[in-house]
Amino acid sequence: MGTLLAIESSCDETSAAVLTDGQVISNVISSQLEHSKYGGVIPELASRLHQQKVVLVVREALEQSGISPADLDAVAFTRGPGLMGALLVGTCFAKAYALGLGIPLIEVNHMQAHVLANFISPQPPTFPFLCLTVSGGHTQIVLVRGPLGMEVVGESIDDAAGEAFDKAAKIMELGYPGGPKIDRLAQQGDPKRFSFPKPNIPGLNFSFSGLKTSLLYFLRDQLKQDENFLQEQMPDICASFQHRIVTYLLGRFEEAAKKFDVRELAIAGGVSANSELRAAFQKMCEKNGWRAHIPKFEFCTDNAAMIGMAAHFKFLAGEFTDQTVTPFARERFL
Ligand code: KG4
Ligand code: ZN
């Protein structure tokens, strides 16, 4: 039993949430739209914006929850992976806040938290289950034996799935972040119109860098013949490119589920907000008689509620962090 304040600052979302006994009471997210004009996240700008926003976002989360700082039992924060400067802002804030209140600190692994976002639900998964975590920085198939016992059984050897969406959007000059833009345009397009090659990587791993290159060459060749090709065919290009990513991801995920003989599957991370992925994942699970778990839309992309949910399990296990803690930018988890 406990009331936790959670802070997320690993990339371009400044977020704070309050949870009581694993129930989300408030979840405030301030997205740094300032990066869009640069076509990607600028790390130094992200750190500065976190500095400007963290106090306001925490104050707002506490106000919305109706809980006073004196009633908090612990402060949770994202330790990594992420951008070092951005992580430092959340980490330093959490350390100071916990020290001032005389309460413990709980460090959270961002990728573990994406998986545990599936527990912000009236019908959470039961263990063991398999989770496909697809974000801007990672693509992983995770075997989840318990809330704190996870094993990566497959992952991308180069770009992440979200990165493939973002880089494709950049090539097509759609702006950043590209995933939601491609998703929206794809809804009016024909996913079978163009065919992009399926990456050929053995086992349960993924590769996405070739896909981006194939789009680049495809557009270069088409534009030589018709300079209006991109403008006129944009919905079909987006639908076909997205379809390739979704079928590739789910094909591997289905293989993994059969290999590990699990009955429950979940998706997580920013790309799990994708409408085609959500629908196709449901369908795949129905076909195989598996239970499907998909976080609510606002818990797919970066948010502090998922950090709080991961911290809730650590709080129950008595896993606290001391004041000497520093962030980590890259680390395979567990
Ligand atoms: O989990 P997240 O918010 O941040 C990281 O931890 O990386 O994921 C961000 C990624 C971006 O690459 C963004 O383009 C992608 O998630 N994304 C989507 C959609 N919404 C966000 N990709 C495809 N379709 C979407 N609807
Ligand atoms: Zn994330």
Side-chain angles (χ1 to χ4, degrees), residues 8 10-13 81 110-111 114 133-138 160-166 176-184 187 242 268-277 297 300-303 306:
E8 155 64 28
S10 65
C11 191
D12 56 347
E13 255 86 32
H110 182 86
M111 298 313 295
H114 269 305
T133 314
V134 272
S135 72
H138 294 79
E163 220 171 332
F165 273 104
D166 295 338
Y176 180 88
K181 296 194 163 107
I182 290 180
D183 189 353
R184 208 164 34 248
Q187 284 166 23
Q242 175 178 284
V271 181
S272 66
N274 182 268
S275 50
E276 184 183 350
L277 180 65
F297 203 73
C300 287
T301 45
D302 289 348
N303 66 89
M306 69 180 193

Side-chain angles (χ1 to χ4, degrees), residues 37-74:
K37 64 172 175 277
Y38 302 106
V41 177
I42 309 291
E44 175 65 14
L45 179 60
S47 314
R48 292 180 192 194
L49 292 168
H50 283 305
Q51 288 271 32
Q52 286 169 23
K53 292 176 180 179
V54 67
V55 172
L56 301 172
V57 166
V58 167
R59 193 178 289 159
E60 178 70 22
L62 283 167
E63 261 172 36
Q64 283 186 18
S65 72
I67 284 165
S68 87
D71 295 326
L72 293 172
D73 294 302

Side-chain angles (χ1 to χ4, degrees), residues 145-287:
R145 295 198 176 87
L148 306 173
M150 301 188 193
E151 186 191 340
V152 178
V153 296
E155 65 187 332
S156 177
I157 58 162
D158 43 52
D159 292 352
E163 220 171 332
F165 273 104
D166 295 338
K167 287 181 176 170
K170 196 163 188 174
I171 292 170
M172 297 187 282
E173 295 179 359
L174 293 174
Y176 180 88
K181 296 194 163 107
I182 290 180
D183 189 353
R184 208 164 34 248
L185 283 159
Q187 284 166 23
Q188 287 118 48
D190 174 3
K192 303 259 167 69
R193 172 83 189 284
F194 304 113
S195 157
F196 293 101
K198 184 175 167 187
N200 187 15
I201 295 290
L204 295 175
N205 289 333
F206 298 94
S207 166
F208 285 99
S209 64
L211 206 51
K212 160 202 73 195
T213 314
S214 73
L215 175 70
L216 190 68
Y217 291 160
F218 167 76
L219 290 176
R220 187 194 58 188
D221 295 346
Q222 296 292 333
L223 286 166
K224 267 189 211 153
Q225 293 162 32
D226 174 6
E227 60 180 25
N228 297 320
F229 178 78
L230 188 56
Q231 279 78 6
E232 286 167 5
Q233 311 299 331
M234 188 73 91
D236 286 352
I237 300 167
C238 289
S240 303
F241 187 77
Q242 175 178 284
H243 190 61
R244 169 39 75 221
I245 293 181
V246 168
T247 49
Y248 179 45
L249 283 170
L250 291 181
R252 280 281 138 94
F253 197 27
E254 190 172 23
E255 261 175 65
K258 288 179 178 162
K259 179 173 174 194
F260 290 97
D261 195 24
V262 291
R263 317 285 312 151
E264 298 203 23
L265 269 71
I267 54 175
V271 181
S272 66
N274 182 268
S275 50
E276 184 183 350
L277 180 65
R278 291 167 89 92
F281 171 62
Q282 287 272 17
K283 224 165 148 183
M284 178 185 93
C285 289
E286 272 164 32
K287 184 188 83 183

